[in-house]
Amino acid sequence: MSGLTQALADLPDAHLRAMGRGVEKESLRSQPDGALAFTPHPAALGSALTHPHITTDFCESQLEFVTGVHADAQTCLDELTRIHQFSYRALKDLGNEMLWVSSMPCGLPTDETIPIGRYGGSNVGRAKSVYRMGLGHRYGRRMQTISGIHYNWSMPGISTEAYFGLIRNFRRHSFLLLYLFGASPALCSSFVEGRDHGLQTLKGKTLYLPHATSLRMGRLGYQSDAQASLSVSYNSLESYASSLQQALTKPYPAYEAVGIKNPGGDYNQLATSLLQIENEFYGTIRPKRVIHSGERPLHALRERGVEYVEVRCMDLDPFEPVGIAASTMRFIDMFLLHCLLSDSADDTPSEIAALGRNQQAVAARGREPGLCLERGDVQVPLTTWGHELLHAMTPLAERLDALDTSVDAGSAYRDALAVAHARMQDAKLTPSARVLQVMQSDFDSSYVAFTRAQSAQTQAHLLGLPFSSELQSQFEAMAQASVQLQKQIEASDTLGFEAYRQHYLSVDRLGAGLRQPLAHG
């Protein structure tokens, strides 16, 4: 019996039934012609600072929808759909703005005119905007307009040590998710204007790579030369936390040159360290813990351990009304269980570097016939490695389907695995290949025309679904309550913003009494 088979056999049904999953989904608001919308965050959606389910990401025009934690994929998808339905109704009243259904952005204006998110006059609201101002200075605003899906996953009975084992295996095998679900093989040239991009022109303003899976996860996406110097180890909470603490506290010369404030006294960024705050650290997966009000995420992790993981490498699927299918969620469940239950050796600096090269290769060339990836000292065909992983997930799919006792219980997990096998067998079935095929056959090879049409179709579909007056009233009440809460926060501030900033960023608040950076694990 293999280690994974034994670990699965030892896992109680109750733990598997108690798996929790939730989704955070970002989408730009676009004008009907496919250009970025410049309107403020719609008042009908409530406060972006305090609404529990509807906020903004980097850009004022970039909505972010957040579900609660759900016991199964379908109820998670249902909640995400309801949030979309309410939001589309609000957007329709604003002049028919749409949600851009692709990860790579719509037509963008000049970098400095992209509006960063605004969260009111409270200290916490100002800090969120200043943080985004810093991101703009460090990486450019255009990069921050990329949108995606974050998948939050937990299961009871998992120790912090076991979560880090899961994370190490996830980083080794996340190429599989890019191949199977990447859906950003092309983009609008406005995204890379003035940059050395290495893309090919498909036609007009559409740039692409012929075998790309996810340009979002490649070198033009959420990447940072500065952060590339961070060789963060996931061998333990201690090694992870010490790496992050160093990045959060050690000044970084290029960002020191930007300064905290500009000559006019306006804030450029929150800090001059490599990372302003923990959320700035880019990664395909993060260990997470729900934080108390005002608490630093790193402090929460050190004090109370890992509570869940956040998967960050999923593109929006333009063929799915809310950007992700329930079957995709089920596949991620299986994939994460496989990462958890498989043996997980410690990572090393050389392996971390190789994983970075694998990610770049699959993002840019994942569907290229014969593409090989680095696995230890050998080169392995992506398809061979992928099939190995999928075959190893078969008992997981069978066990999860067997737990389904609903009236229409069937083969949902095995079906999700079968789709993955088919895509591994034939790259033409992957979302990235489908995007290119439909774009070329139906939209004269135009990325903007394709996504604009998909966005309009999605808008019509979601507006056409039943949405009761009771649900409308519930969402309206939630929006109004969030506005009141923002006002309360603004009224209760006692510190000036500079004092607040210094207090929030003080090293003492990072937890665990670690004042000196530890050696990297």
Side-chain angles (χ1 to χ4, degrees), residues 175 178-179 209-215 217-219 223 353-374 379-380 382:
F175 74 87
L178 299 193
Y179 174 87
L209 288 175
H211 298 110
T213 60
S214 177
L215 296 179
M217 294 304 298
R219 70 177 192 88
Q223 303 295 317
L355 295 179
R357 291 191 293 272
N358 282 352
Q359 179 178 327
Q360 300 294 337
V362 178
R365 301 187 291 126
R367 288 178 289 105
E368 183 181 288
L371 177 68
C372 288
L373 302 178
E374 299 177 51
Q379 295 275 326
V380 181
L382 180 153

PDB file of all heavy atoms in Angstrom, residues 175 178-179 209-215 217-219 223 353-374 379-380 382:
ATOM      1  N   PHE A 175       2.122  23.272 -11.619  1.00  0.00           N
ATOM      2  CA  PHE A 175       2.149  23.330 -13.090  1.00  0.00           C
ATOM      3  C   PHE A 175       0.908  22.662 -13.678  1.00  0.00           C
ATOM      4  O   PHE A 175       0.413  23.043 -14.746  1.00  0.00           O
ATOM      5  CB  PHE A 175       3.420  22.659 -13.643  1.00  0.00           C
ATOM      6  CG  PHE A 175       3.403  21.155 -13.558  1.00  0.00           C
ATOM      7  CD1 PHE A 175       2.835  20.383 -14.578  1.00  0.00           C
ATOM      8  CD2 PHE A 175       3.943  20.497 -12.459  1.00  0.00           C
ATOM      9  CE1 PHE A 175       2.797  18.997 -14.497  1.00  0.00           C
ATOM     10  CE2 PHE A 175       3.914  19.109 -12.370  1.00  0.00           C
ATOM     11  CZ  PHE A 175       3.334  18.359 -13.395  1.00  0.00           C
ATOM     12  N   LEU A 178      -1.956  25.111 -13.918  1.00  0.00           N
ATOM     13  CA  LEU A 178      -1.749  26.075 -15.005  1.00  0.00           C
ATOM     14  C   LEU A 178      -2.102  25.433 -16.346  1.00  0.00           C
ATOM     15  O   LEU A 178      -2.740  26.058 -17.196  1.00  0.00           O
ATOM     16  CB  LEU A 178      -0.308  26.577 -15.037  1.00  0.00           C
ATOM     17  CG  LEU A 178       0.233  27.326 -13.825  1.00  0.00           C
ATOM     18  CD1 LEU A 178       1.547  28.012 -14.181  1.00  0.00           C
ATOM     19  CD2 LEU A 178      -0.752  28.334 -13.287  1.00  0.00           C
ATOM     20  N   TYR A 179      -1.669  24.195 -16.541  1.00  0.00           N
ATOM     21  CA  TYR A 179      -1.951  23.509 -17.797  1.00  0.00           C
ATOM     22  C   TYR A 179      -3.449  23.247 -17.955  1.00  0.00           C
ATOM     23  O   TYR A 179      -4.040  23.522 -19.011  1.00  0.00           O
ATOM     24  CB  TYR A 179      -1.182  22.189 -17.865  1.00  0.00           C
ATOM     25  CG  TYR A 179      -1.554  21.361 -19.084  1.00  0.00           C
ATOM     26  CD1 TYR A 179      -0.897  21.549 -20.299  1.00  0.00           C
ATOM     27  CD2 TYR A 179      -2.582  20.416 -19.028  1.00  0.00           C
ATOM     28  CE1 TYR A 179      -1.255  20.808 -21.423  1.00  0.00           C
ATOM     29  CE2 TYR A 179      -2.942  19.671 -20.140  1.00  0.00           C
ATOM     30  CZ  TYR A 179      -2.282  19.869 -21.331  1.00  0.00           C
ATOM     31  OH  TYR A 179      -2.639  19.146 -22.453  1.00  0.00           O
ATOM     32  N   LEU A 209       1.140  34.084 -27.084  1.00  0.00           N
ATOM     33  CA  LEU A 209       2.149  33.050 -27.331  1.00  0.00           C
ATOM     34  C   LEU A 209       1.381  31.797 -27.748  1.00  0.00           C
ATOM     35  O   LEU A 209       0.380  31.442 -27.094  1.00  0.00           O
ATOM     36  CB  LEU A 209       2.996  32.787 -26.083  1.00  0.00           C
ATOM     37  CG  LEU A 209       3.983  33.896 -25.714  1.00  0.00           C
ATOM     38  CD1 LEU A 209       4.678  33.576 -24.389  1.00  0.00           C
ATOM     39  CD2 LEU A 209       5.024  34.105 -26.813  1.00  0.00           C
ATOM     40  N   PRO A 210       1.789  31.131 -28.811  1.00  0.00           N
ATOM     41  CA  PRO A 210       0.950  30.073 -29.402  1.00  0.00           C
ATOM     42  C   PRO A 210       0.659  28.903 -28.482  1.00  0.00           C
ATOM     43  O   PRO A 210      -0.377  28.261 -28.616  1.00  0.00           O
ATOM     44  CB  PRO A 210       1.750  29.635 -30.632  1.00  0.00           C
ATOM     45  CG  PRO A 210       3.110  30.205 -30.482  1.00  0.00           C
ATOM     46  CD  PRO A 210       2.982  31.413 -29.623  1.00  0.00           C
ATOM     47  N   HIS A 211       1.572  28.611 -27.541  1.00  0.00           N
ATOM     48  CA  HIS A 211       1.343  27.476 -26.640  1.00  0.00           C
ATOM     49  C   HIS A 211       1.163  27.911 -25.186  1.00  0.00           C
ATOM     50  O   HIS A 211       1.250  27.093 -24.267  1.00  0.00           O
ATOM     51  CB  HIS A 211       2.502  26.480 -26.738  1.00  0.00           C
ATOM     52  CG  HIS A 211       2.655  25.877 -28.106  1.00  0.00           C
ATOM     53  ND1 HIS A 211       3.701  26.174 -28.939  1.00  0.00           N
ATOM     54  CD2 HIS A 211       1.850  25.027 -28.797  1.00  0.00           C
ATOM     55  CE1 HIS A 211       3.553  25.524 -30.083  1.00  0.00           C
ATOM     56  NE2 HIS A 211       2.440  24.820 -30.023  1.00  0.00           N
ATOM     57  N   ALA A 212       0.910  29.198 -24.970  1.00  0.00           N
ATOM     58  CA  ALA A 212       0.764  29.709 -23.600  1.00  0.00           C
ATOM     59  C   ALA A 212      -0.486  29.136 -22.933  1.00  0.00           C
ATOM     60  O   ALA A 212      -1.491  28.860 -23.589  1.00  0.00           O
ATOM     61  CB  ALA A 212       0.693  31.230 -23.611  1.00  0.00           C
ATOM     62  N   THR A 213      -0.393  28.977 -21.628  1.00  0.00           N
ATOM     63  CA  THR A 213      -1.562  28.585 -20.830  1.00  0.00           C
ATOM     64  C   THR A 213      -2.050  29.764 -20.000  1.00  0.00           C
ATOM     65  O   THR A 213      -3.237  30.060 -19.965  1.00  0.00           O
ATOM     66  CB  THR A 213      -1.236  27.418 -19.881  1.00  0.00           C
ATOM     67  OG1 THR A 213      -0.177  27.812 -18.989  1.00  0.00           O
ATOM     68  CG2 THR A 213      -0.803  26.187 -20.663  1.00  0.00           C
ATOM     69  N   SER A 214      -1.122  30.462 -19.344  1.00  0.00           N
ATOM     70  CA  SER A 214      -1.508  31.525 -18.413  1.00  0.00           C
ATOM     71  C   SER A 214      -0.451  32.628 -18.413  1.00  0.00           C
ATOM     72  O   SER A 214       0.480  32.603 -17.607  1.00  0.00           O
ATOM     73  CB  SER A 214      -1.674  30.948 -16.991  1.00  0.00           C
ATOM     74  OG  SER A 214      -1.978  31.987 -16.080  1.00  0.00           O
ATOM     75  N   LEU A 215      -0.628  33.601 -19.309  1.00  0.00           N
ATOM     76  CA  LEU A 215       0.285  34.749 -19.290  1.00  0.00           C
ATOM     77  C   LEU A 215       0.202  35.469 -17.948  1.00  0.00           C
ATOM     78  O   LEU A 215       1.168  36.091 -17.502  1.00  0.00           O
ATOM     79  CB  LEU A 215      -0.040  35.711 -20.435  1.00  0.00           C
ATOM     80  CG  LEU A 215       0.162  35.146 -21.846  1.00  0.00           C
ATOM     81  CD1 LEU A 215      -0.226  36.187 -22.891  1.00  0.00           C
ATOM     82  CD2 LEU A 215       1.603  34.694 -22.066  1.00  0.00           C
ATOM     83  N   MET A 217       0.253  34.141 -15.080  1.00  0.00           N
ATOM     84  CA  MET A 217       1.192  33.525 -14.136  1.00  0.00           C
ATOM     85  C   MET A 217       2.613  33.463 -14.695  1.00  0.00           C
ATOM     86  O   MET A 217       3.487  32.851 -14.091  1.00  0.00           O
ATOM     87  CB  MET A 217       0.721  32.111 -13.788  1.00  0.00           C
ATOM     88  CG  MET A 217      -0.593  32.070 -13.020  1.00  0.00           C
ATOM     89  SD  MET A 217      -0.591  33.031 -11.488  1.00  0.00           S
ATOM     90  CE  MET A 217       0.688  32.187 -10.563  1.00  0.00           C
ATOM     91  N   GLY A 218       2.852  34.099 -15.824  1.00  0.00           N
ATOM     92  CA  GLY A 218       4.182  34.112 -16.427  1.00  0.00           C
ATOM     93  C   GLY A 218       4.945  35.372 -16.091  1.00  0.00           C
ATOM     94  O   GLY A 218       4.586  36.125 -15.182  1.00  0.00           O
ATOM     95  N   ARG A 219       5.989  35.640 -16.860  1.00  0.00           N
ATOM     96  CA  ARG A 219       6.885  36.732 -16.489  1.00  0.00           C
ATOM     97  C   ARG A 219       6.268  38.114 -16.677  1.00  0.00           C
ATOM     98  O   ARG A 219       6.762  39.095 -16.124  1.00  0.00           O
ATOM     99  CB  ARG A 219       8.205  36.636 -17.255  1.00  0.00           C
ATOM    100  CG  ARG A 219       8.132  36.932 -18.737  1.00  0.00           C
ATOM    101  CD  ARG A 219       9.510  36.876 -19.380  1.00  0.00           C
ATOM    102  NE  ARG A 219       9.494  37.434 -20.718  1.00  0.00           N
ATOM    103  CZ  ARG A 219       9.677  38.726 -20.994  1.00  0.00           C
ATOM    104  NH1 ARG A 219       9.874  39.588 -20.024  1.00  0.00           N
ATOM    105  NH2 ARG A 219       9.644  39.158 -22.243  1.00  0.00           N
ATOM    106  N   GLN A 223       4.655  39.007 -11.252  1.00  0.00           N
ATOM    107  CA  GLN A 223       6.050  38.671 -10.996  1.00  0.00           C
ATOM    108  C   GLN A 223       6.771  39.938 -10.564  1.00  0.00           C
ATOM    109  O   GLN A 223       6.342  41.048 -10.871  1.00  0.00           O
ATOM    110  CB  GLN A 223       6.716  38.106 -12.253  1.00  0.00           C
ATOM    111  CG  GLN A 223       6.021  36.887 -12.825  1.00  0.00           C
ATOM    112  CD  GLN A 223       6.071  35.701 -11.898  1.00  0.00           C
ATOM    113  OE1 GLN A 223       7.101  35.412 -11.308  1.00  0.00           O
ATOM    114  NE2 GLN A 223       4.959  35.008 -11.764  1.00  0.00           N
ATOM    115  N   ALA A 353      14.347  27.384  -7.044  1.00  0.00           N
ATOM    116  CA  ALA A 353      14.703  28.013  -8.322  1.00  0.00           C
ATOM    117  C   ALA A 353      14.154  27.204  -9.496  1.00  0.00           C
ATOM    118  O   ALA A 353      13.628  27.764 -10.469  1.00  0.00           O
ATOM    119  CB  ALA A 353      16.218  28.161  -8.429  1.00  0.00           C
ATOM    120  N   ALA A 354      14.248  25.876  -9.422  1.00  0.00           N
ATOM    121  CA  ALA A 354      13.742  25.022 -10.499  1.00  0.00           C
ATOM    122  C   ALA A 354      12.222  25.133 -10.630  1.00  0.00           C
ATOM    123  O   ALA A 354      11.682  25.155 -11.743  1.00  0.00           O
ATOM    124  CB  ALA A 354      14.133  23.564 -10.243  1.00  0.00           C
ATOM    125  N   LEU A 355      11.524  25.230  -9.499  1.00  0.00           N
ATOM    126  CA  LEU A 355      10.068  25.374  -9.547  1.00  0.00           C
ATOM    127  C   LEU A 355       9.674  26.677 -10.227  1.00  0.00           C
ATOM    128  O   LEU A 355       8.685  26.733 -10.960  1.00  0.00           O
ATOM    129  CB  LEU A 355       9.478  25.321  -8.132  1.00  0.00           C
ATOM    130  CG  LEU A 355       9.628  23.994  -7.383  1.00  0.00           C
ATOM    131  CD1 LEU A 355       9.025  24.087  -5.993  1.00  0.00           C
ATOM    132  CD2 LEU A 355       8.985  22.850  -8.157  1.00  0.00           C
ATOM    133  N   GLY A 356      10.450  27.713  -9.991  1.00  0.00           N
ATOM    134  CA  GLY A 356      10.199  28.978 -10.671  1.00  0.00           C
ATOM    135  C   GLY A 356      10.364  28.843 -12.174  1.00  0.00           C
ATOM    136  O   GLY A 356       9.550  29.377 -12.950  1.00  0.00           O
ATOM    137  N   ARG A 357      11.387  28.109 -12.594  1.00  0.00           N
ATOM    138  CA  ARG A 357      11.597  27.893 -14.038  1.00  0.00           C
ATOM    139  C   ARG A 357      10.469  27.045 -14.626  1.00  0.00           C
ATOM    140  O   ARG A 357      10.004  27.307 -15.746  1.00  0.00           O
ATOM    141  CB  ARG A 357      12.956  27.225 -14.275  1.00  0.00           C
ATOM    142  CG  ARG A 357      14.151  28.137 -13.966  1.00  0.00           C
ATOM    143  CD  ARG A 357      15.459  27.545 -14.451  1.00  0.00           C
ATOM    144  NE  ARG A 357      15.860  26.343 -13.746  1.00  0.00           N
ATOM    145  CZ  ARG A 357      16.595  26.323 -12.627  1.00  0.00           C
ATOM    146  NH1 ARG A 357      17.005  27.473 -12.075  1.00  0.00           N
ATOM    147  NH2 ARG A 357      16.928  25.188 -12.043  1.00  0.00           N
ATOM    148  N   ASN A 358      10.019  26.034 -13.893  1.00  0.00           N
ATOM    149  CA  ASN A 358       8.900  25.214 -14.373  1.00  0.00           C
ATOM    150  C   ASN A 358       7.641  26.061 -14.565  1.00  0.00           C
ATOM    151  O   ASN A 358       6.930  25.923 -15.569  1.00  0.00           O
ATOM    152  CB  ASN A 358       8.598  24.085 -13.378  1.00  0.00           C
ATOM    153  CG  ASN A 358       9.568  22.922 -13.482  1.00  0.00           C
ATOM    154  OD1 ASN A 358      10.394  22.870 -14.393  1.00  0.00           O
ATOM    155  ND2 ASN A 358       9.481  21.999 -12.539  1.00  0.00           N
ATOM    156  N   GLN A 359       7.364  26.929 -13.580  1.00  0.00           N
ATOM    157  CA  GLN A 359       6.173  27.775 -13.683  1.00  0.00           C
ATOM    158  C   GLN A 359       6.242  28.662 -14.924  1.00  0.00           C
ATOM    159  O   GLN A 359       5.265  28.781 -15.673  1.00  0.00           O
ATOM    160  CB  GLN A 359       6.021  28.646 -12.435  1.00  0.00           C
ATOM    161  CG  GLN A 359       4.793  29.561 -12.503  1.00  0.00           C
ATOM    162  CD  GLN A 359       4.613  30.396 -11.246  1.00  0.00           C
ATOM    163  OE1 GLN A 359       4.935  29.960 -10.136  1.00  0.00           O
ATOM    164  NE2 GLN A 359       4.102  31.614 -11.392  1.00  0.00           N
ATOM    165  N   GLN A 360       7.395  29.269 -15.158  1.00  0.00           N
ATOM    166  CA  GLN A 360       7.544  30.139 -16.328  1.00  0.00           C
ATOM    167  C   GLN A 360       7.354  29.345 -17.616  1.00  0.00           C
ATOM    168  O   GLN A 360       6.727  29.825 -18.570  1.00  0.00           O
ATOM    169  CB  GLN A 360       8.933  30.799 -16.326  1.00  0.00           C
ATOM    170  CG  GLN A 360       9.230  31.666 -15.118  1.00  0.00           C
ATOM    171  CD  GLN A 360       8.343  32.897 -15.044  1.00  0.00           C
ATOM    172  OE1 GLN A 360       7.813  33.339 -16.063  1.00  0.00           O
ATOM    173  NE2 GLN A 360       8.156  33.428 -13.858  1.00  0.00           N
ATOM    174  N   ALA A 361       7.908  28.147 -17.658  1.00  0.00           N
ATOM    175  CA  ALA A 361       7.818  27.326 -18.871  1.00  0.00           C
ATOM    176  C   ALA A 361       6.374  26.943 -19.173  1.00  0.00           C
ATOM    177  O   ALA A 361       5.917  27.017 -20.321  1.00  0.00           O
ATOM    178  CB  ALA A 361       8.679  26.071 -18.724  1.00  0.00           C
ATOM    179  N   VAL A 362       5.623  26.534 -18.143  1.00  0.00           N
ATOM    180  CA  VAL A 362       4.246  26.096 -18.370  1.00  0.00           C
ATOM    181  C   VAL A 362       3.346  27.285 -18.677  1.00  0.00           C
ATOM    182  O   VAL A 362       2.460  27.193 -19.535  1.00  0.00           O
ATOM    183  CB  VAL A 362       3.720  25.303 -17.156  1.00  0.00           C
ATOM    184  CG1 VAL A 362       2.269  24.882 -17.370  1.00  0.00           C
ATOM    185  CG2 VAL A 362       4.584  24.073 -16.926  1.00  0.00           C
ATOM    186  N   ALA A 363       3.582  28.411 -18.024  1.00  0.00           N
ATOM    187  CA  ALA A 363       2.780  29.606 -18.309  1.00  0.00           C
ATOM    188  C   ALA A 363       2.935  30.027 -19.771  1.00  0.00           C
ATOM    189  O   ALA A 363       1.961  30.343 -20.452  1.00  0.00           O
ATOM    190  CB  ALA A 363       3.187  30.749 -17.377  1.00  0.00           C
ATOM    191  N   ALA A 364       4.160  29.995 -20.276  1.00  0.00           N
ATOM    192  CA  ALA A 364       4.445  30.493 -21.632  1.00  0.00           C
ATOM    193  C   ALA A 364       4.317  29.419 -22.704  1.00  0.00           C
ATOM    194  O   ALA A 364       3.985  29.729 -23.858  1.00  0.00           O
ATOM    195  CB  ALA A 364       5.857  31.093 -21.676  1.00  0.00           C
ATOM    196  N   ARG A 365       4.577  28.126 -22.335  1.00  0.00           N
ATOM    197  CA  ARG A 365       4.685  27.085 -23.369  1.00  0.00           C
ATOM    198  C   ARG A 365       4.005  25.791 -22.970  1.00  0.00           C
ATOM    199  O   ARG A 365       4.335  24.723 -23.470  1.00  0.00           O
ATOM    200  CB  ARG A 365       6.164  26.810 -23.668  1.00  0.00           C
ATOM    201  CG  ARG A 365       6.947  28.024 -24.144  1.00  0.00           C
ATOM    202  CD  ARG A 365       8.366  27.650 -24.596  1.00  0.00           C
ATOM    203  NE  ARG A 365       9.212  27.243 -23.475  1.00  0.00           N
ATOM    204  CZ  ARG A 365       9.880  26.102 -23.412  1.00  0.00           C
ATOM    205  NH1 ARG A 365       9.786  25.213 -24.397  1.00  0.00           N
ATOM    206  NH2 ARG A 365      10.629  25.832 -22.370  1.00  0.00           N
ATOM    207  N   GLY A 366       3.050  25.854 -22.059  1.00  0.00           N
ATOM    208  CA  GLY A 366       2.505  24.633 -21.459  1.00  0.00           C
ATOM    209  C   GLY A 366       1.898  23.640 -22.432  1.00  0.00           C
ATOM    210  O   GLY A 366       1.903  22.438 -22.181  1.00  0.00           O
ATOM    211  N   ARG A 367       1.369  24.125 -23.557  1.00  0.00           N
ATOM    212  CA  ARG A 367       0.745  23.213 -24.532  1.00  0.00           C
ATOM    213  C   ARG A 367       1.713  22.831 -25.655  1.00  0.00           C
ATOM    214  O   ARG A 367       1.306  22.163 -26.612  1.00  0.00           O
ATOM    215  CB  ARG A 367      -0.508  23.875 -25.130  1.00  0.00           C
ATOM    216  CG  ARG A 367      -1.669  23.956 -24.161  1.00  0.00           C
ATOM    217  CD  ARG A 367      -2.884  24.667 -24.753  1.00  0.00           C
ATOM    218  NE  ARG A 367      -2.652  26.105 -24.904  1.00  0.00           N
ATOM    219  CZ  ARG A 367      -2.421  26.730 -26.048  1.00  0.00           C
ATOM    220  NH1 ARG A 367      -2.394  26.050 -27.184  1.00  0.00           N
ATOM    221  NH2 ARG A 367      -2.214  28.038 -26.098  1.00  0.00           N
ATOM    222  N   GLU A 368       2.949  23.198 -25.533  1.00  0.00           N
ATOM    223  CA  GLU A 368       3.948  22.861 -26.564  1.00  0.00           C
ATOM    224  C   GLU A 368       4.218  21.359 -26.546  1.00  0.00           C
ATOM    225  O   GLU A 368       4.557  20.799 -25.505  1.00  0.00           O
ATOM    226  CB  GLU A 368       5.246  23.621 -26.283  1.00  0.00           C
ATOM    227  CG  GLU A 368       6.345  23.439 -27.290  1.00  0.00           C
ATOM    228  CD  GLU A 368       7.578  24.235 -26.879  1.00  0.00           C
ATOM    229  OE1 GLU A 368       7.551  25.470 -26.981  1.00  0.00           O
ATOM    230  OE2 GLU A 368       8.555  23.601 -26.433  1.00  0.00           O
ATOM    231  N   PRO A 369       4.048  20.675 -27.674  1.00  0.00           N
ATOM    232  CA  PRO A 369       4.282  19.226 -27.699  1.00  0.00           C
ATOM    233  C   PRO A 369       5.692  18.883 -27.221  1.00  0.00           C
ATOM    234  O   PRO A 369       6.670  19.505 -27.638  1.00  0.00           O
ATOM    235  CB  PRO A 369       4.098  18.863 -29.178  1.00  0.00           C
ATOM    236  CG  PRO A 369       3.210  19.935 -29.727  1.00  0.00           C
ATOM    237  CD  PRO A 369       3.592  21.191 -28.991  1.00  0.00           C
ATOM    238  N   GLY A 370       5.773  17.908 -26.314  1.00  0.00           N
ATOM    239  CA  GLY A 370       7.071  17.446 -25.842  1.00  0.00           C
ATOM    240  C   GLY A 370       7.709  18.297 -24.772  1.00  0.00           C
ATOM    241  O   GLY A 370       8.848  18.023 -24.363  1.00  0.00           O
ATOM    242  N   LEU A 371       7.011  19.335 -24.272  1.00  0.00           N
ATOM    243  CA  LEU A 371       7.607  20.201 -23.247  1.00  0.00           C
ATOM    244  C   LEU A 371       8.017  19.383 -22.025  1.00  0.00           C
ATOM    245  O   LEU A 371       7.230  18.589 -21.500  1.00  0.00           O
ATOM    246  CB  LEU A 371       6.606  21.285 -22.816  1.00  0.00           C
ATOM    247  CG  LEU A 371       7.097  22.218 -21.696  1.00  0.00           C
ATOM    248  CD1 LEU A 371       8.237  23.105 -22.186  1.00  0.00           C
ATOM    249  CD2 LEU A 371       5.949  23.070 -21.153  1.00  0.00           C
ATOM    250  N   CYS A 372       9.249  19.577 -21.576  1.00  0.00           N
ATOM    251  CA  CYS A 372       9.763  18.873 -20.398  1.00  0.00           C
ATOM    252  C   CYS A 372       9.958  19.844 -19.239  1.00  0.00           C
ATOM    253  O   CYS A 372      10.270  21.025 -19.443  1.00  0.00           O
ATOM    254  CB  CYS A 372      11.086  18.183 -20.715  1.00  0.00           C
ATOM    255  SG  CYS A 372      10.913  16.725 -21.772  1.00  0.00           S
ATOM    256  N   LEU A 373       9.773  19.332 -18.030  1.00  0.00           N
ATOM    257  CA  LEU A 373       9.961  20.110 -16.815  1.00  0.00           C
ATOM    258  C   LEU A 373      11.059  19.485 -15.970  1.00  0.00           C
ATOM    259  O   LEU A 373      11.400  18.311 -16.137  1.00  0.00           O
ATOM    260  CB  LEU A 373       8.658  20.153 -16.000  1.00  0.00           C
ATOM    261  CG  LEU A 373       7.427  20.724 -16.719  1.00  0.00           C
ATOM    262  CD1 LEU A 373       6.206  20.643 -15.805  1.00  0.00           C
ATOM    263  CD2 LEU A 373       7.666  22.154 -17.165  1.00  0.00           C
ATOM    264  N   GLU A 374      11.604  20.273 -15.061  1.00  0.00           N
ATOM    265  CA  GLU A 374      12.667  19.797 -14.174  1.00  0.00           C
ATOM    266  C   GLU A 374      12.048  19.089 -12.968  1.00  0.00           C
ATOM    267  O   GLU A 374      11.204  19.646 -12.276  1.00  0.00           O
ATOM    268  CB  GLU A 374      13.518  20.970 -13.677  1.00  0.00           C
ATOM    269  CG  GLU A 374      14.211  21.749 -14.774  1.00  0.00           C
ATOM    270  CD  GLU A 374      14.983  22.943 -14.230  1.00  0.00           C
ATOM    271  OE1 GLU A 374      15.770  22.763 -13.284  1.00  0.00           O
ATOM    272  OE2 GLU A 374      14.787  24.066 -14.739  1.00  0.00           O
ATOM    273  N   GLN A 379      14.811  15.622 -16.573  1.00  0.00           N
ATOM    274  CA  GLN A 379      13.783  16.326 -17.334  1.00  0.00           C
ATOM    275  C   GLN A 379      12.639  15.336 -17.607  1.00  0.00           C
ATOM    276  O   GLN A 379      12.882  14.245 -18.125  1.00  0.00           O
ATOM    277  CB  GLN A 379      14.368  16.818 -18.658  1.00  0.00           C
ATOM    278  CG  GLN A 379      15.458  17.867 -18.503  1.00  0.00           C
ATOM    279  CD  GLN A 379      14.898  19.275 -18.384  1.00  0.00           C
ATOM    280  OE1 GLN A 379      13.889  19.605 -18.986  1.00  0.00           O
ATOM    281  NE2 GLN A 379      15.556  20.102 -17.582  1.00  0.00           N
ATOM    282  N   VAL A 380      11.421  15.714 -17.253  1.00  0.00           N
ATOM    283  CA  VAL A 380      10.263  14.827 -17.408  1.00  0.00           C
ATOM    284  C   VAL A 380       9.235  15.518 -18.306  1.00  0.00           C
ATOM    285  O   VAL A 380       8.930  16.696 -18.095  1.00  0.00           O
ATOM    286  CB  VAL A 380       9.616  14.518 -16.037  1.00  0.00           C
ATOM    287  CG1 VAL A 380       8.442  13.575 -16.198  1.00  0.00           C
ATOM    288  CG2 VAL A 380      10.638  13.953 -15.081  1.00  0.00           C
ATOM    289  N   LEU A 382       5.958  17.066 -19.449  1.00  0.00           N
ATOM    290  CA  LEU A 382       4.826  17.576 -18.667  1.00  0.00           C
ATOM    291  C   LEU A 382       3.669  16.580 -18.678  1.00  0.00           C
ATOM    292  O   LEU A 382       3.044  16.324 -17.633  1.00  0.00           O
ATOM    293  CB  LEU A 382       4.371  18.925 -19.232  1.00  0.00           C
ATOM    294  CG  LEU A 382       3.197  19.627 -18.540  1.00  0.00           C
ATOM    295  CD1 LEU A 382       3.288  21.133 -18.727  1.00  0.00           C
ATOM    296  CD2 LEU A 382       1.830  19.155 -19.023  1.00  0.00           C
TER     297      LEU A 382
END
